[in-house]
mmCIF file of all heavy atoms in Angstrom:
data_model
loop_
_atom_site.group_PDB
_atom_site.id
_atom_site.type_symbol
_atom_site.label_atom_id
_atom_site.label_comp_id
_atom_site.label_asym_id
_atom_site.label_seq_id
_atom_site.Cartn_x
_atom_site.Cartn_y
_atom_site.Cartn_z
ATOM 1 N N TYR C 263 18.300 6.132 22.337
ATOM 2 C CA TYR C 263 19.634 5.616 22.032
ATOM 3 C C TYR C 263 19.575 4.236 21.406
ATOM 4 O O TYR C 263 20.483 3.850 20.646
ATOM 5 C CB TYR C 263 20.501 5.600 23.308
ATOM 6 C CG TYR C 263 20.266 4.428 24.218
ATOM 7 C CD1 TYR C 263 21.099 3.319 24.168
ATOM 8 C CD2 TYR C 263 19.206 4.415 25.120
ATOM 9 C CE1 TYR C 263 20.886 2.230 24.992
ATOM 10 C CE2 TYR C 263 18.993 3.344 25.953
ATOM 11 C CZ TYR C 263 19.832 2.245 25.885
ATOM 12 O OH TYR C 263 19.621 1.166 26.711
ATOM 13 N N LEU C 264 18.524 3.453 21.696
ATOM 14 C CA LEU C 264 18.413 2.113 21.107
ATOM 15 C C LEU C 264 18.231 2.198 19.600
ATOM 16 O O LEU C 264 18.790 1.387 18.847
ATOM 17 C CB LEU C 264 17.243 1.351 21.726
ATOM 18 C CG LEU C 264 17.360 0.947 23.186
ATOM 19 C CD1 LEU C 264 16.190 0.066 23.579
ATOM 20 C CD2 LEU C 264 18.675 0.224 23.448
ATOM 21 N N LEU C 265 17.432 3.150 19.140
ATOM 22 C CA LEU C 265 17.283 3.339 17.696
ATOM 23 C C LEU C 265 18.621 3.688 17.069
ATOM 24 O O LEU C 265 19.011 3.112 16.049
ATOM 25 C CB LEU C 265 16.270 4.449 17.419
ATOM 26 C CG LEU C 265 16.235 4.967 15.973
ATOM 27 C CD1 LEU C 265 15.832 3.872 15.007
ATOM 28 C CD2 LEU C 265 15.315 6.182 15.868
ATOM 29 N N LEU C 266 19.347 4.624 17.671
ATOM 30 C CA LEU C 266 20.605 5.075 17.086
ATOM 31 C C LEU C 266 21.672 3.993 17.152
ATOM 32 O O LEU C 266 22.435 3.815 16.190
ATOM 33 C CB LEU C 266 21.069 6.344 17.788
ATOM 34 C CG LEU C 266 20.068 7.509 17.790
ATOM 35 C CD1 LEU C 266 20.727 8.768 18.337
ATOM 36 C CD2 LEU C 266 19.487 7.762 16.405
ATOM 37 N N LEU C 267 21.748 3.254 18.254
ATOM 38 C CA LEU C 267 22.664 2.107 18.326
ATOM 39 C C LEU C 267 22.343 1.101 17.229
ATOM 40 O O LEU C 267 23.240 0.602 16.535
ATOM 41 C CB LEU C 267 22.560 1.428 19.688
ATOM 42 C CG LEU C 267 23.517 1.813 20.810
ATOM 43 C CD1 LEU C 267 23.202 0.994 22.050
ATOM 44 C CD2 LEU C 267 24.970 1.608 20.402
ATOM 45 N N SER C 268 21.061 0.785 17.081
ATOM 46 C CA SER C 268 20.652 -0.206 16.074
ATOM 47 C C SER C 268 21.019 0.252 14.673
ATOM 48 O O SER C 268 21.509 -0.536 13.847
ATOM 49 C CB SER C 268 19.140 -0.448 16.161
ATOM 50 O OG SER C 268 18.759 -0.917 17.437
ATOM 51 N N LEU C 269 20.784 1.532 14.373
ATOM 52 C CA LEU C 269 21.137 2.055 13.053
ATOM 53 C C LEU C 269 22.645 2.038 12.833
ATOM 54 O O LEU C 269 23.123 1.703 11.741
ATOM 55 C CB LEU C 269 20.606 3.474 12.901
ATOM 56 C CG LEU C 269 19.110 3.611 12.622
ATOM 57 C CD1 LEU C 269 18.659 5.047 12.829
ATOM 58 C CD2 LEU C 269 18.778 3.147 11.207
ATOM 59 N N GLY C 270 23.409 2.414 13.876
ATOM 60 C CA GLY C 270 24.861 2.379 13.756
ATOM 61 C C GLY C 270 25.381 0.973 13.516
ATOM 62 O O GLY C 270 26.310 0.760 12.720
ATOM 63 N N ILE C 271 24.785 0.000 14.195
ATOM 64 C CA ILE C 271 25.163 -1.399 13.983
ATOM 65 C C ILE C 271 24.807 -1.826 12.560
ATOM 66 O O ILE C 271 25.623 -2.401 11.825
ATOM 67 C CB ILE C 271 24.456 -2.288 15.016
ATOM 68 C CG1 ILE C 271 24.996 -2.025 16.421
ATOM 69 C CG2 ILE C 271 24.619 -3.767 14.655
ATOM 70 C CD1 ILE C 271 24.157 -2.649 17.524
ATOM 71 N N ALA C 272 23.566 -1.528 12.133
ATOM 72 C CA ALA C 272 23.093 -1.970 10.817
ATOM 73 C C ALA C 272 23.882 -1.336 9.684
ATOM 74 O O ALA C 272 24.097 -1.969 8.637
ATOM 75 C CB ALA C 272 21.608 -1.647 10.670
ATOM 76 N N ASP C 273 24.335 -0.105 9.887
ATOM 77 C CA ASP C 273 25.075 0.592 8.839
ATOM 78 C C ASP C 273 26.364 -0.144 8.471
ATOM 79 O O ASP C 273 26.850 -0.021 7.349
ATOM 80 C CB ASP C 273 25.394 2.017 9.306
ATOM 81 C CG ASP C 273 26.047 2.846 8.221
ATOM 82 O OD1 ASP C 273 25.469 2.952 7.127
ATOM 83 O OD2 ASP C 273 27.146 3.379 8.465
ATOM 84 N N GLY C 274 26.931 -0.918 9.394
ATOM 85 C CA GLY C 274 28.161 -1.657 9.127
ATOM 86 C C GLY C 274 27.950 -3.111 8.764
ATOM 87 O O GLY C 274 28.922 -3.863 8.633
ATOM 88 N N LEU C 275 26.697 -3.532 8.611
ATOM 89 C CA LEU C 275 26.398 -4.917 8.239
ATOM 90 C C LEU C 275 26.178 -5.031 6.734
ATOM 91 O O LEU C 275 25.842 -4.053 6.063
ATOM 92 C CB LEU C 275 25.150 -5.406 8.982
ATOM 93 C CG LEU C 275 25.224 -5.418 10.508
ATOM 94 C CD1 LEU C 275 23.878 -5.830 11.109
ATOM 95 C CD2 LEU C 275 26.326 -6.358 10.991
ATOM 96 N N ASP C 276 26.341 -6.226 6.223
ATOM 97 C CA ASP C 276 26.153 -6.495 4.800
ATOM 98 C C ASP C 276 24.687 -6.832 4.550
ATOM 99 O O ASP C 276 24.291 -7.994 4.456
ATOM 100 C CB ASP C 276 27.060 -7.657 4.372
ATOM 101 C CG ASP C 276 27.024 -7.890 2.855
ATOM 102 O OD1 ASP C 276 26.566 -6.986 2.129
ATOM 103 O OD2 ASP C 276 27.453 -8.976 2.420
ATOM 104 N N LEU C 277 23.869 -5.796 4.443
ATOM 105 C CA LEU C 277 22.442 -5.999 4.233
ATOM 106 C C LEU C 277 22.177 -6.468 2.812
ATOM 107 O O LEU C 277 22.882 -6.080 1.876
ATOM 108 C CB LEU C 277 21.680 -4.702 4.500
ATOM 109 C CG LEU C 277 21.757 -4.143 5.929
ATOM 110 C CD1 LEU C 277 20.978 -2.833 6.018
ATOM 111 C CD2 LEU C 277 21.245 -5.139 6.941
ATOM 112 N N PRO C 278 21.161 -7.294 2.610
ATOM 113 C CA PRO C 278 20.864 -7.810 1.265
ATOM 114 C C PRO C 278 20.325 -6.709 0.359
ATOM 115 O O PRO C 278 19.981 -5.604 0.813
ATOM 116 C CB PRO C 278 19.811 -8.884 1.527
ATOM 117 C CG PRO C 278 19.150 -8.458 2.791
ATOM 118 C CD PRO C 278 20.224 -7.824 3.626
ATOM 119 N N ILE C 279 20.198 -7.013 -0.919
ATOM 120 C CA ILE C 279 19.800 -5.987 -1.880
ATOM 121 C C ILE C 279 18.318 -5.655 -1.783
ATOM 122 O O ILE C 279 17.890 -4.625 -2.320
ATOM 123 C CB ILE C 279 20.147 -6.421 -3.325
ATOM 124 C CG1 ILE C 279 19.416 -7.718 -3.702
ATOM 125 C CG2 ILE C 279 21.642 -6.573 -3.488
ATOM 126 C CD1 ILE C 279 19.564 -8.091 -5.166
ATOM 127 N N SER C 280 17.533 -6.488 -1.119
ATOM 128 C CA SER C 280 16.095 -6.239 -1.018
ATOM 129 C C SER C 280 15.608 -6.495 0.407
ATOM 130 O O SER C 280 16.000 -7.494 1.033
ATOM 131 C CB SER C 280 15.326 -7.142 -1.975
ATOM 132 O OG SER C 280 13.929 -7.085 -1.701
ATOM 133 N N PRO C 281 14.726 -5.640 0.937
ATOM 134 C CA PRO C 281 14.142 -5.915 2.247
ATOM 135 C C PRO C 281 13.247 -7.144 2.277
ATOM 136 O O PRO C 281 12.862 -7.601 3.366
ATOM 137 C CB PRO C 281 13.326 -4.648 2.540
ATOM 138 C CG PRO C 281 13.922 -3.587 1.694
ATOM 139 C CD PRO C 281 14.371 -4.303 0.443
ATOM 140 N N ARG C 282 12.900 -7.712 1.144
ATOM 141 C CA ARG C 282 12.079 -8.920 1.130
ATOM 142 C C ARG C 282 12.873 -10.153 1.516
ATOM 143 O O ARG C 282 12.308 -11.182 1.876
ATOM 144 C CB ARG C 282 11.464 -9.122 -0.273
ATOM 145 C CG ARG C 282 10.446 -8.070 -0.653
ATOM 146 C CD ARG C 282 9.871 -8.333 -2.045
ATOM 147 N NE ARG C 282 9.222 -9.641 -2.122
ATOM 148 C CZ ARG C 282 7.975 -9.879 -1.740
ATOM 149 N NH1 ARG C 282 7.235 -8.907 -1.242
ATOM 150 N NH2 ARG C 282 7.439 -11.079 -1.868
ATOM 151 N N HIS C 283 14.210 -10.055 1.466
ATOM 152 C CA HIS C 283 15.053 -11.204 1.787
ATOM 153 C C HIS C 283 15.046 -11.455 3.299
ATOM 154 O O HIS C 283 15.129 -10.511 4.086
ATOM 155 C CB HIS C 283 16.479 -10.943 1.301
ATOM 156 C CG HIS C 283 17.335 -12.160 1.242
ATOM 157 N ND1 HIS C 283 17.843 -12.782 2.367
ATOM 158 C CD2 HIS C 283 17.779 -12.892 0.180
ATOM 159 C CE1 HIS C 283 18.558 -13.826 2.011
ATOM 160 N NE2 HIS C 283 18.529 -13.925 0.687
ATOM 161 N N PRO C 284 14.968 -12.722 3.746
ATOM 162 C CA PRO C 284 14.968 -12.995 5.188
ATOM 163 C C PRO C 284 16.193 -12.451 5.916
ATOM 164 O O PRO C 284 16.105 -12.122 7.107
ATOM 165 C CB PRO C 284 14.925 -14.528 5.247
ATOM 166 C CG PRO C 284 14.299 -14.955 3.962
ATOM 167 C CD PRO C 284 14.749 -13.952 2.948
ATOM 168 N N ALA C 285 17.327 -12.351 5.223
ATOM 169 C CA ALA C 285 18.525 -11.830 5.880
ATOM 170 C C ALA C 285 18.340 -10.380 6.323
ATOM 171 O O ALA C 285 18.972 -9.934 7.287
ATOM 172 C CB ALA C 285 19.730 -11.935 4.933
ATOM 173 N N TRP C 286 17.481 -9.650 5.612
ATOM 174 C CA TRP C 286 17.204 -8.262 6.011
ATOM 175 C C TRP C 286 16.560 -8.220 7.388
ATOM 176 O O TRP C 286 17.015 -7.501 8.287
ATOM 177 C CB TRP C 286 16.300 -7.611 4.967
ATOM 178 C CG TRP C 286 16.046 -6.150 5.196
ATOM 179 C CD1 TRP C 286 16.857 -5.116 4.837
ATOM 180 C CD2 TRP C 286 14.900 -5.554 5.812
ATOM 181 N NE1 TRP C 286 16.281 -3.910 5.198
ATOM 182 C CE2 TRP C 286 15.088 -4.151 5.797
ATOM 183 C CE3 TRP C 286 13.727 -6.068 6.383
ATOM 184 C CZ2 TRP C 286 14.141 -3.262 6.327
ATOM 185 C CZ3 TRP C 286 12.789 -5.184 6.907
ATOM 186 C CH2 TRP C 286 13.000 -3.801 6.887
ATOM 187 N N ALA C 287 15.503 -9.001 7.569
ATOM 188 C CA ALA C 287 14.832 -9.036 8.865
ATOM 189 C C ALA C 287 15.751 -9.606 9.940
ATOM 190 O O ALA C 287 15.774 -9.121 11.082
ATOM 191 C CB ALA C 287 13.551 -9.859 8.763
ATOM 192 N N HIS C 288 16.521 -10.644 9.595
ATOM 193 C CA HIS C 288 17.427 -11.255 10.577
ATOM 194 C C HIS C 288 18.463 -10.247 11.064
ATOM 195 O O HIS C 288 18.658 -10.071 12.277
ATOM 196 C CB HIS C 288 18.126 -12.458 9.954
ATOM 197 C CG HIS C 288 19.295 -12.961 10.738
ATOM 198 N ND1 HIS C 288 19.157 -13.593 11.953
ATOM 199 C CD2 HIS C 288 20.638 -12.906 10.482
ATOM 200 C CE1 HIS C 288 20.361 -13.910 12.419
ATOM 201 N NE2 HIS C 288 21.270 -13.502 11.544
ATOM 202 N N LEU C 289 19.133 -9.576 10.147
ATOM 203 C CA LEU C 289 20.212 -8.673 10.535
ATOM 204 C C LEU C 289 19.692 -7.469 11.316
ATOM 205 O O LEU C 289 20.309 -7.038 12.303
ATOM 206 C CB LEU C 289 20.991 -8.221 9.305
ATOM 207 C CG LEU C 289 21.839 -9.316 8.644
ATOM 208 C CD1 LEU C 289 22.396 -8.822 7.314
ATOM 209 C CD2 LEU C 289 22.977 -9.766 9.562
ATOM 210 N N LEU C 290 18.549 -6.932 10.910
ATOM 211 C CA LEU C 290 18.009 -5.797 11.653
ATOM 212 C C LEU C 290 17.487 -6.221 13.022
ATOM 213 O O LEU C 290 17.670 -5.508 14.019
ATOM 214 C CB LEU C 290 16.903 -5.114 10.852
ATOM 215 C CG LEU C 290 17.319 -4.389 9.574
ATOM 216 C CD1 LEU C 290 16.163 -3.547 9.047
ATOM 217 C CD2 LEU C 290 18.543 -3.505 9.787
ATOM 218 N N ALA C 291 16.847 -7.381 13.098
ATOM 219 C CA ALA C 291 16.389 -7.866 14.401
ATOM 220 C C ALA C 291 17.563 -8.132 15.332
ATOM 221 O O ALA C 291 17.508 -7.829 16.538
ATOM 222 C CB ALA C 291 15.551 -9.129 14.231
ATOM 223 N N GLU C 292 18.633 -8.670 14.797
ATOM 224 C CA GLU C 292 19.816 -8.924 15.618
ATOM 225 C C GLU C 292 20.501 -7.613 16.026
ATOM 226 O O GLU C 292 21.037 -7.498 17.134
ATOM 227 C CB GLU C 292 20.795 -9.823 14.866
ATOM 228 C CG GLU C 292 20.268 -11.231 14.626
ATOM 229 C CD GLU C 292 19.960 -11.959 15.932
ATOM 230 O OE1 GLU C 292 20.868 -12.589 16.497
ATOM 231 O OE2 GLU C 292 18.794 -11.876 16.394
ATOM 232 N N ALA C 293 20.477 -6.624 15.147
ATOM 233 C CA ALA C 293 21.000 -5.304 15.524
ATOM 234 C C ALA C 293 20.192 -4.731 16.669
ATOM 235 O O ALA C 293 20.750 -4.150 17.619
ATOM 236 C CB ALA C 293 20.962 -4.367 14.314
ATOM 237 N N ALA C 294 18.867 -4.889 16.605
ATOM 238 C CA ALA C 294 18.008 -4.400 17.691
ATOM 239 C C ALA C 294 18.279 -5.142 18.990
ATOM 240 O O ALA C 294 18.298 -4.543 20.075
ATOM 241 C CB ALA C 294 16.546 -4.539 17.287
ATOM 242 N N ARG C 295 18.502 -6.447 18.910
ATOM 243 C CA ARG C 295 18.778 -7.234 20.117
ATOM 244 C C ARG C 295 20.149 -6.893 20.697
ATOM 245 O O ARG C 295 20.309 -6.782 21.919
ATOM 246 C CB ARG C 295 18.699 -8.725 19.796
ATOM 247 C CG ARG C 295 17.286 -9.206 19.475
ATOM 248 C CD ARG C 295 17.281 -10.709 19.244
ATOM 249 N NE ARG C 295 17.674 -11.412 20.451
ATOM 250 C CZ ARG C 295 18.382 -12.549 20.478
ATOM 251 N NH1 ARG C 295 18.797 -13.082 19.334
ATOM 252 N NH2 ARG C 295 18.679 -13.119 21.609
ATOM 253 N N ALA C 296 21.135 -6.715 19.830
ATOM 254 C CA ALA C 296 22.459 -6.342 20.315
ATOM 255 C C ALA C 296 22.417 -4.978 21.004
ATOM 256 O O ALA C 296 23.117 -4.736 21.992
ATOM 257 C CB ALA C 296 23.461 -6.321 19.159
#
Side-chain angles (χ1 to χ4, degrees):
Y263 81 97
L264 292 187
L265 167 62
L266 304 188
L267 266 180
S268 301
L269 283 166
I271 292 168
D273 185 55
L275 299 176
D276 186 16
L277 298 178
I279 61 172
S280 169
R282 293 180 59 84
H283 195 286
W286 185 83
H288 166 70
L289 290 171
L290 292 191
E292 294 300 273
R295 291 183 63 215

